Amino acid sequence: EVQLVESGGGLIQPGGSLRLSCAASGFTVSSNFMSWVRQAPGKGLEWVSVLYSGGSTYYADSVKGRFTISRDNSKNTLYLQMNSLRAEDTAVYYCARQAFNWNYHWGQGTLVTVSS
Amino acid sequence: EIVLTQSPATLSLSPGERATLSCRASQSISTYLAWYQQKPGQAPRLLIYDASNRATGIPARFSGSGSGTDFTLTISSLEPEDFAVYYCQQRSNWPRTFGQGTKVEIK
């Protein structure tokens, strides 16, 4: 059974850094396309980043240069390193495994709150 | 950036009725469009991919159509569990973008 469990969210001051983790089971992260999608409180979905099995990465303009997506094959875990955090980064962050080139399996999300 | 505009913002219907949701792209995206359902407090669920293909386990009452710039998600007969927010997403261009969502609520 495919499972994705995000962790690492919390309250962080503006300008701070946070690393989100997405522990996967039931499949191999390195062989799949993996994404991060976020949702600000009461708002819609926003695509954040994708990491392809070959290593290519893409980012939303709103996070480019501040966020980095990566994986640890030995831990079968996806990461999102978030630097220079802003209030507008406050959101629930979901990781997702792609199938058919779409976000098919989703984690339960982890809440990041950027506030002083 | 491709903008996806969903309409209506809210759809008020009764169980058993037909729901028709629209997603319009700011430029042609071929059939590179998906639909997701999200219920309160839950992660989104993939319903339809590549405009018209149902994801595994999705009931046949859900169907998708369209190509180019105009797409439709149809729920043929609403079940109580279908009242939720629906989002479309494109994967034609970077960055990937979502529509703002359509809430299907009980009338």
Side-chain angles (χ1 to χ4, degrees):
Chain A
E1 179 192 3
V2 171
Q3 269 202 315
L4 296 164
V5 179
E6 300 96 336
S7 60
L11 176 62
I12 187 75
Q13 290 190 339
S17 297
L18 212 54
R19 188 179 78 161
L20 304 184
S21 300
C22 172
S25 57
F27 72 99
T28 303
V29 166
S30 62
S31 300
N32 284 265
F33 299 171
M34 300 294 296
S35 298
W36 288 97
V37 175
R38 68 184 180 183
Q39 187 169 36
K43 302 297 184 182
L45 301 172
E46 181 184 13
W47 176 82
V48 174
S49 181
V50 66
L51 171 59
Y52 285 137
S53 53
S56 298
T57 59
Y58 295 86
Y59 298 92
D61 290 344
S62 58
V63 308
K64 200 174 295 181
R66 299 187 299 124
F67 290 12
T68 302
I69 190 171
S70 64
R71 66 191 178 215
D72 184 329
N73 296 344
S74 67
K75 295 183 178 179
N76 207 34
T77 297
L78 180 74
Y79 299 102
L80 186 67
Q81 177 67 43
M82 304 186 296
N83 299 331
S84 303
L85 283 162
R86 307 166 179 166
E88 54 265 35
D89 296 319
T90 294
V92 173
Y93 285 74
Y94 297 100
C95 69
R97 173 204 185 198
Q98 293 197 1
F100 316 111
N101 293 304
W102 296 100
N103 297 313
Y104 190 84
H105 296 104
W106 296 68
Q108 84 290 349
T110 187
L111 175 62
V112 173
T113 303
V114 184
S115 175
S116 55
Chain B
E1 172 175 314
I2 293 177
V3 176
L4 298 178
T5 302
Q6 292 188 238
S7 61
T10 304
L11 200 50
S12 299
L13 295 168
S14 300
E17 289 193 295
R18 182 184 189 89
T20 303
L21 288 67
S22 174
C23 178
R24 177 164 289 177
S26 58
Q27 64 189 75
S28 178
I29 57 171
S30 184
T31 56
Y32 297 124
L33 187 102
W35 291 94
Y36 298 86
Q37 176 195 66
Q38 188 180 32
K39 298 178 181 179
Q42 295 185 17
R45 176 175 71 147
L46 179 66
L47 298 176
I48 302 288
Y49 65 93
D50 293 344
S52 60
N53 297 290
R54 269 190 306 276
T56 304
I58 301 304
R61 63 181 181 273
F62 291 92
S63 64
S65 64
S67 66
T69 60
D70 291 307
F71 301 86
T72 300
L73 174 69
T74 302
I75 310 171
S76 60
S77 178
L78 282 164
E79 296 288 337
E81 62 268 28
D82 299 335
F83 292 92
V85 180
Y86 294 82
Y87 295 94
C88 56
Q89 185 203 354
Q90 64 82 22
R91 68 171 182 89
S92 175
N93 282 23
W94 300 104
R96 306 312 196 209
T97 49
F98 287 91
Q100 83 280 13
T102 289
K103 182 179 181 180
V104 178
E105 65 175 23
I106 299 177
K107 186 174 181 180

